[in-house]
């Protein structure tokens, strides 16, 4: 296992962190998964109040199996205007976790300007708990738009950030760079699942990535970036840790062979999409019908270029069903008003592409896992 400094916290975290959203089967299974993670070198575990019994399961592991000093623990609370709730939530988390301090507290989901304003309101209450030792470091997680993320980083309230950034989603690259400039710890969340459901890749994607697996290449894309401290691995049982952690020491720069494969992927997208490829510049927004045009067309890019249809359906089904965690309407809401057309530097026929995406990816609606 390789370890990296988590920004200005000056703590060294394992390059893989155990995310606990998925280990909800039983306390026994959760404790065994945590033990296996620690035995394999993981020293950082992330949980949250909203993850079912996750905090209590981790607390049980700390009581019966592990020493508190073996682990750095993050838990998360959602933004709230009620300052008294902040202290109550943190105290409840400490009780669930059987500990008297949190290494890291993250504000869970600063996804909108309102969330950022609410967080401004409650920051003094959190600093009170930093002063008395219940919380040691504060950060935030986000699924929000880039401008909100950058503004939140620029408050200088936070020592670390949890965010989405992968080979197949690089729009948040400016946030990675700004966080690095601010010496923040950078925690990439859900690289296997939100990164493209890469544990079940399409045959096309598998072939393009040979002799590596798509998931291995995505991990290498992230691990080779020295700005990034740690990646979440959401193991639901102990054996699911074995393969990801087998590459936990592979933090060197990309090899020529790996770089060649990434170029192969780029060439494939250009060949299959041609003049219909969306470059993800976001100039088309805002949409009067609140369609998240770039994200809809990103899913189309992946579906057409790499046959990532199941991933496309999975994410497309979240539109209109996950609130601020995955905002925007489906492409079928397009009224062909044409407002986006003159703003597109590639002159894409956006209304046609939106409807085509809907036909390709429409299916059952989705919900976020922890709901």
């Amino acid at each position: 296992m390789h370890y990296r400094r988590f920004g200005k916290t000056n703590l060294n975290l394992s390059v893989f962190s155990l995310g606990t959203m998925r280990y909800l089967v039983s306390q026994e299974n959760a404790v065994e998964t945590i033990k296996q993670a620690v035995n394999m070198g993981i020293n950082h575990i992330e949980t949250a109040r909203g993850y079912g019994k996750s905090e209590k399961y981790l607390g049980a592991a700390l009581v019966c199996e592990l020493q508190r000093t073996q682990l750095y623990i993050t838990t998360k609370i959602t933004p709230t205007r009620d300052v008294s709730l902040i202290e109550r939530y943190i105290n409840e988390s400490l009780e669930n976790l059987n500990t008297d301090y949190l290494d890291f507290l993250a504000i869970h989901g600063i996804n909108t300007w309102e969330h950022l304003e609410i967080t401004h309101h409650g920051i003094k209450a959190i600093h009170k708990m930093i002063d008395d030792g219940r919380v040691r470091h504060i950060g935030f997680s986000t699924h929000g738009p880039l401008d909100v993320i950058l503004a939140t980083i620029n408050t200088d309230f936070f020592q670390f950030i949890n965010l989405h950034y992968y080979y197949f989603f690089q729009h948040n690259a400016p946030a990675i760079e700004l966080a690095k400039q601010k010496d923040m710890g950078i925690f990439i969340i859900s690289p296997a699942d939100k990164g493209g459901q890469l544990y079940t890749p399409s045959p096309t994607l598998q072939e393009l990535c040979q002799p590596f697996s798509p998931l291995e290449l995505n991990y290498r894309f992230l691990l080779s970036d020295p700005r990034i401290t740690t990646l979440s691995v959401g193991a639901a049982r102990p054996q699911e840790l074995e393969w990801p952690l087998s590459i936990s020491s592979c933090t060197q720069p990309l090899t020529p062979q790996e770089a060649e494969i990434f170029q192969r992927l780029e060439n494939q997208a250009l060949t299959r999409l041609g003049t219909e490829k969306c470059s993800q510049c976001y100039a088309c927004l805002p949409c009067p019908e609140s369609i998240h045009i770039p994200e809809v067309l990103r899913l189309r890019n992946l579906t057409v270029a790499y046959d990532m249809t199941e991933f496309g359906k999975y994410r497309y089904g979240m539109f209109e069903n996950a609130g601020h965690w995955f905002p925007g309407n489906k492409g079928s809401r397009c009224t062909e008003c044409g407002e986006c057309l003159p703003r597109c530097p590639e002159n894409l026929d956006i209304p046609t592409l939106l409807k085509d995406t809907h036909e390709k990816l429409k299916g059952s609606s989705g919900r976020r896992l922890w709901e």
Side-chain angles (χ1 to χ4, degrees), residues 51-192:
Y51 292 173
K53 297 181 179 179
S54 171
E55 286 186 338
K56 291 186 176 181
Y57 289 169
L58 177 51
L62 290 175
V63 167
C64 64
E65 300 288 349
L66 301 170
Q67 297 296 315
R68 177 66 177 90
T69 54
Q70 290 179 274
L71 291 174
Y72 297 119
I73 295 173
T74 295
T75 198
K76 298 178 286 189
I77 61 171
T78 53
T80 175
R81 293 188 185 277
D82 188 338
V83 174
S84 65
L85 278 181
I86 295 173
E87 186 163 8
R88 190 184 110 194
Y89 287 163
I90 292 172
N91 286 336
E92 287 175 357
S93 290
L94 291 172
E95 182 178 354
N96 289 339
L97 291 162
N98 288 312
T99 186
D100 57 4
Y101 70 95
L102 298 171
D103 300 285
F104 309 112
L105 173 71
I107 304 303
H108 192 184
I110 299 183
N111 299 336
T112 67
W113 292 108
E114 182 183 12
H115 293 151
L116 180 54
E117 185 272 324
I118 291 171
T119 301
H120 272 268
H121 185 70
I123 203 72
K124 286 185 179 179
I126 295 171
H127 277 288
K128 172 189 172 184
M129 282 168 277
I130 291 175
D131 291 341
D132 67 26
R134 282 176 285 176
V135 174
R136 296 194 172 174
H137 303 284
I138 181 173
F140 72 100
S141 70
T142 181
H143 298 231
L146 182 59
D147 55 352
V148 172
I149 299 173
L150 296 175
T152 306
I153 294 172
N154 275 322
T155 63
D156 294 321
F157 289 162
F158 303 103
Q159 295 172 296
F160 65 92
I161 180 174
N162 306 357
L163 81 166
H164 297 284
Y165 173 73
Y166 326 107
Y167 174 72
F168 287 125
F169 178 74
Q170 298 182 41
H171 182 67
N172 284 339
I176 297 287
E177 182 56 30
L178 181 60
K180 177 60 179 175
Q181 292 173 14
K182 298 281 189 178
D183 195 25
M184 295 174 69
I186 299 173
F187 178 18
I188 303 301
I189 50 180
S190 196

